[in-house]
Amino acid sequence: MSNAPRRTALDALHRSLGATMTDFAGWDMPLRYASERDEHHAVRTTAGLFDLSHMGEITVTGPQAVDVLNYALVGNIDTVGPGRARYTMICQENGGIVDDLIVYRLGDTEYMVVANAGNAQIVLDALTERAAGFDAQVRDDRDAYALIAVQGPQSPGILASLTDADLDGLKYYAGLPGTVAGVPALIARTGYTGEDGFELFVEPQHAEKLWQALTEAGAPAGLIPCGLSCRDTLRLEAGMPLYGHELTTALTPFDAGLGRVVKFEKDGDFVGREALAAAAERAQTAPPRKLVGLVAEGRRVPRAGMDVVAEGKVIGTVTSGAPSPTLGKPIAMAYVDAAHAAPGTPGVGVDIRGTHEPYEVVALPFYKRQK
């Protein structure tokens, strides 16, 4: 079996645009095309175009598809209407987070689960195992889709010029089938940047045509291609968790401050229910470390794994850190002891190679778009 990274349907196009490529979760993906700062600012002010074909699509169909998902995941999938989407998680029996997911309801008995690239096989295996005994089928559709995202304040206008789908009526976390530049697509109003935008699921053979059409339609508005590097700074500013950083199997959704995604009121049992109920109780009585934002007073950039300190003691750990193009300062997300989690808590720093650099504790997110 080859260990060479997988390539998306847009691979040749990325290379023709001079992209710097990198191995990401077993895929060869564009890290940046020119300046990651320019790409970041384009998404915040005009629009950016992303290839997200590394994400893992898994289809669950059949009379008991919803029952499989309610048992396998922590959310209540019963309440997802046709054409809507839901952010949720799949957990281990002990409550540890296996992955965070988006579930789209495509039809009465058809759902698409979108997993993170690095966890797609693990999620597929878990869903397949948990579907045993249900009248439903779990299908690996990773090769059936390419995924292109257009994100930023100009994205609705750009997309509207290429489709007659009702974008105005398309709510956040909803999806509808349509045609974009003559290409059949599932048009979803979802994204991972903190901006308005759309994710377009299409057949791989149509990906290049769609990318070129979006590029041409978006050029007058300032749309540019964007890589994974600015995707990370955009989601960090928006306070969005990244699997492997803010979310891991060592944490429950309650540890991550995302207990709201766990729906104990849904009918029937679900994997991890008992452990998650105990975690919910612990979070009430003895709060675990809390996820907070940190803004640097100096110029040194914190990185994942660095210690957060106060009064000479380690009080937490940085999970993600980067220079923030929007704030013009280094920022980080970190889990810190509850006693030091309030915004403005004095005396908090990050140990950067032996020096305790001062940081301000702030509430997440760092950035919220103007509605």
Side-chain angles (χ1 to χ4, degrees), residues 185-209:
L186 170 67
I187 305 166
R189 200 162 206 154
T190 45
Y192 194 54
T193 60
E195 298 298 335
D196 192 9
F198 302 87
E199 295 182 320
L200 308 170
F201 295 85
V202 299
E203 288 180 34
Q205 71 205 43
H206 298 316
E208 203 164 314
K209 178 184 175 186

Side-chain angles (χ1 to χ4, degrees), residues 109-195:
T109 59
E110 184 178 5
Y111 296 81
M112 181 169 68
V113 177
V114 180
N116 285 299
N119 293 329
Q121 188 64 48
I122 296 164
V123 173
L124 176 67
D125 292 345
L127 286 175
T128 303
E129 187 184 313
R130 294 175 189 188
F134 288 93
D135 186 4
Q137 293 75 47
V138 176
R139 187 173 73 231
D140 179 1
D141 269 346
R142 283 176 289 179
D143 292 336
Y145 292 103
L147 178 56
I148 294 172
V150 54
Q151 299 276 302
Q154 297 291 331
S155 57
I158 294 166
L159 195 58
S161 72
L162 295 172
T163 182
D164 53 13
D166 178 19
L167 300 183
D168 288 340
L170 187 63
K171 295 186 175 77
Y172 187 50
Y173 266 73
L176 84 171
T179 304
V180 183
V183 171
L186 170 67
I187 305 166
R189 200 162 206 154
T190 45
Y192 194 54
T193 60
E195 298 298 335

Side-chain angles (χ1 to χ4, degrees), residues 78-367:
D78 253 336
T79 58
V80 181
R84 297 308 302 261
R86 173 76 42 86
Y87 176 81
T88 186
M89 293 183 184
I90 183 167
C91 289
Q92 296 174 329
E93 197 66 67
N94 68 3
I97 302 166
V98 175
D99 200 12
D100 62 334
L101 312 164
I102 296 180
V103 178
Y104 296 88
R105 185 172 176 187
L106 303 182
D108 283 347
T109 59
E110 184 178 5
Y111 296 81
M112 181 169 68
V113 177
V114 180
N116 285 299
N119 293 329
Q121 188 64 48
I122 296 164
V123 173
L124 176 67
D125 292 345
L127 286 175
T128 303
E129 187 184 313
R130 294 175 189 188
F134 288 93
D135 186 4
Q137 293 75 47
V138 176
R139 187 173 73 231
D140 179 1
D141 269 346
R142 283 176 289 179
D143 292 336
Y145 292 103
L147 178 56
I148 294 172
V150 54
Q151 299 276 302
Q154 297 291 331
S155 57
I158 294 166
L159 195 58
S161 72
L162 295 172
T163 182
D164 53 13
D166 178 19
L167 300 183
D168 288 340
L170 187 63
K171 295 186 175 77
Y172 187 50
Y173 266 73
L176 84 171
T179 304
V180 183
V183 171
L186 170 67
I187 305 166
R189 200 162 206 154
T190 45
Y192 194 54
T193 60
E195 298 298 335
D196 192 9
F198 302 87
E199 295 182 320
L200 308 170
F201 295 85
V202 299
E203 288 180 34
Q205 71 205 43
H206 298 316
E208 203 164 314
K209 178 184 175 186
L210 180 58
W211 180 282
Q212 298 287 25
L214 286 162
T215 299
E216 285 166 32
L223 173 141
I224 60 172
C226 295
L228 292 178
S229 187
C230 84
R231 186 169 151 85
D232 193 47
T233 52
L234 289 159
R235 70 93 196 165
L236 178 55
E237 288 183 351
M240 293 174 162
L242 178 63
Y243 196 88
H245 290 256
E246 289 72 41
L247 309 175
T248 71
T249 51
L251 298 167
T252 72
F254 294 94
D255 298 323
L258 291 165
R260 65 181 180 276
V261 306
V262 182
K263 303 299 182 189
F264 293 113
E265 71 277 12
K266 65 179 174 175
D267 291 337
D269 195 17
F270 63 90
V271 177
R273 181 191 270 273
E274 208 171 301
L276 288 166
E281 203 168 311
R282 279 197 308 275
Q284 294 280 316
T285 52
R289 285 183 163 182
K290 289 188 72 173
L291 188 63
V292 301
L294 299 173
V295 178
E297 293 180 21
R299 308 301 308 165
R300 297 184 75 184
V301 178
R303 297 297 183 193
M306 288 181 173
D307 289 335
V308 183
V309 291
E311 296 152 12
K313 295 192 186 77
V314 174
I315 58 149
T317 307
V318 171
T319 52
S320 296
S324 163
T326 304
L327 275 64
K329 297 175 179 179
I331 58 171
M333 286 201 275
Y335 282 109
V336 302
D337 294 344
H340 294 86
T345 299
V348 173
V350 175
D351 185 342
I352 301 182
R353 296 182 194 86
T355 306
H356 290 188
E357 297 285 340
Y359 275 74
E360 182 190 356
V361 179
V362 300
L364 291 168
F366 300 96
Y367 165 86

